Amino acid sequence: MESLLTLSGTRLAEMIRKREVTSAEVVETHIRYAQKVNPTLNAIIQDRFELARKEAREADEKVKTVPPEKLPPFHGVPCTIKECFALAGMPNTSGLLARKGVTAKDNAVTVSRLLSAGVIPLGVTNVPELCMWMETYNKIYGRTNNPYNPGHIVGGSSGGEGAIIGSGASPFGLGSDIGGSIRMPAFFNGIFGHKPTSLTVPNTGQYPVVHGDALRYLTTGPLCRRAEDLVPLMTILAGPDAEHPDLRSFIPKRVAEVKLSGLTVLDVSDNGVTPVSDDLRAAQKKCAEALAA
C-alpha cells in the first residue's frame, strides 16, 4: 500500500470511486506513515486519526450505494489543514502563546468546501507565530523540520503543510500566503503550491484576520504533492461567500486551451540583496527558456 503515498488526491479519489482501493486503506496508509515520520518532522501538531478512520469507513459504505458519478470529487481522500484555519474540534491558535487552548467550534469557509468535496482531514499542521515568519516555529508547538533533512527549515508560514506533504504522509492540504507563505514551503519541501489571485478564494475563518489593503495580498490556496491537484482544488476553494459576495469564481481552462504565446513570463534572477546559488539560477533559467520556447 505504500505506493498510495506517491499518488495525487485526484488519482486516489478515482481509485476509491472505482473500488480499486478503499478509503479505509488509503487513510490508514497515510496515518501509519504520518505516525512514522511526524515524531521527526513535528508537522502535524494535533491529529484526528480515529475520527478519520471512522469517516473513511463511512465513505466506503457510501461507495457501495451511490453511483460513482454522484460522489464528490475527493470522496474518501485524506488531507491536512494549516492550523490557522478553523477546523471544528481542532486547535486554532495560529501559534500564539496567548491563544493556547483555543479550539475551533466551526469550520472556515474553505475547510467546509473541502469537506463538501469529500476530503477526510488527518489533522492540523504547524505554523510560525501568527503566520508572520519564514521559519515554522512557535512557543506552543516548537519547530517543524524538513523531510529531506531535519536540520533544515521548512519555510513559512504554511511550513507544517509543506513538510507533511513533502514527506508523503498527506496528498494535499490547505494553506495561505501573504508574502510567500505557500510558495516558500512548496519550494523548501519539494511540492507544488499555488497562491491564487486576490479576491478569488475567501479567507473567512482563519486567524489572524487581515483588514484593508492587506486583503489584496492574503490569499488562501492549495499545497499538494502532484501538480494535477491544483486546478481541481482551486475549483473547489474559489468563489464568493456570505462575507465576500464580490469574490470571483474560478473557471479553469484545460491545459490544452492555455496559449503560452500570449503569456508574459517575468524572470527575476535575484532581488539584489539575498545571494542565490548557481544551481538555482541555472534551474530558473532553464524553466524560463522552456516557457519562452
Side-chain angles (χ1 to χ4, degrees), residues 225-268:
R225 65 180 167 220
R226 297 292 182 187
E228 70 175 344
D229 284 341
L230 291 172
V231 169
L233 288 170
M234 274 298 299
T235 306
I236 291 161
L237 295 171
D241 68 347
E243 287 191 29
H244 305 93
D246 55 335
L247 264 61
R248 297 182 281 261
S249 294
F250 177 75
I251 304 173
K253 290 183 177 181
R254 291 182 302 170
V255 174
E257 296 174 345
V258 177
K259 304 299 182 186
L260 291 178
S261 60
L263 298 180
T264 298
V265 178
L266 181 64
D267 178 17
V268 181

Side-chain angles (χ1 to χ4, degrees), residues 4-236:
L4 298 175
L5 302 173
T6 68
L7 303 178
S8 68
T10 300
R11 176 66 181 130
L12 292 172
E14 179 185 21
M15 293 172 70
I16 291 168
R17 280 195 300 273
K18 293 181 176 179
R19 301 171 80 166
E20 296 172 0
V21 68
T22 65
S23 173
E25 289 168 333
V26 173
V27 167
E28 188 63 32
T29 300
H30 285 81
I31 287 175
R32 291 190 181 187
Y33 197 66
Q35 289 172 326
K36 178 180 178 181
V37 300
N38 200 58
T40 299
L41 300 181
N42 190 36
I44 297 175
I45 50 79
Q46 184 158 320
D47 70 69
R48 57 190 303 280
F49 292 159
E50 289 309 312
L51 267 175
R53 288 177 171 119
K54 176 177 178 289
E55 290 163 0
R57 292 192 295 270
E58 292 170 353
D60 288 329
E61 288 302 312
K62 198 169 182 180
V63 170
K64 295 176 184 176
T65 58
V66 177
E69 65 274 11
K70 296 290 181 67
L71 292 170
F74 287 104
H75 181 76
V77 177
C79 76
T80 39
I81 305 292
K82 186 178 181 181
E83 197 257 21
C84 66
F85 290 94
L87 172 59
M90 291 283 105
N92 186 215
T93 68
S94 202
L96 183 64
L97 192 57
R99 283 176 63 87
K100 186 176 181 179
V102 172
T103 300
K105 294 181 174 60
D106 302 302
N107 295 315
V109 167
T110 44
V111 172
S112 292
R113 289 177 179 179
L114 287 175
L115 293 173
S116 295
V119 307
I120 298 176
L122 300 179
V124 291
T125 55
N126 204 15
V127 297
E129 186 181 62
L130 290 177
C131 299
M132 288 288 288
W133 317 108
M134 67 174 287
E135 176 167 0
T136 295
Y137 164 82
N138 62 70
K139 291 186 178 181
I140 301 177
Y141 307 120
R143 179 185 190 265
T144 297
N145 302 313
N146 193 289
Y148 288 89
N149 183 336
H152 291 182
I153 67 171
V154 295
S157 63
S158 307
E161 281 300 307
I164 202 66
I165 296 167
S167 77
S170 174
F172 59 79
L174 183 65
S176 55
D177 188 317
I178 195 168
S181 287
I182 286 174
R183 293 162 287 168
M184 282 190 293
F187 177 58
F188 285 19
N189 296 279
I191 63 171
F192 296 91
H194 179 62
K195 176 180 172 147
T197 302
S198 63
L199 304 178
T200 304
V201 179
N203 295 315
T204 312
Q206 64 177 288
Y207 186 91
V209 178
V210 298
H211 302 282
D213 288 343
L215 281 170
R216 292 179 52 230
Y217 298 101
L218 177 65
T219 59
T220 297
L223 296 99
C224 47
R225 65 180 167 220
R226 297 292 182 187
E228 70 175 344
D229 284 341
L230 291 172
V231 169
L233 288 170
M234 274 298 299
T235 306
I236 291 161

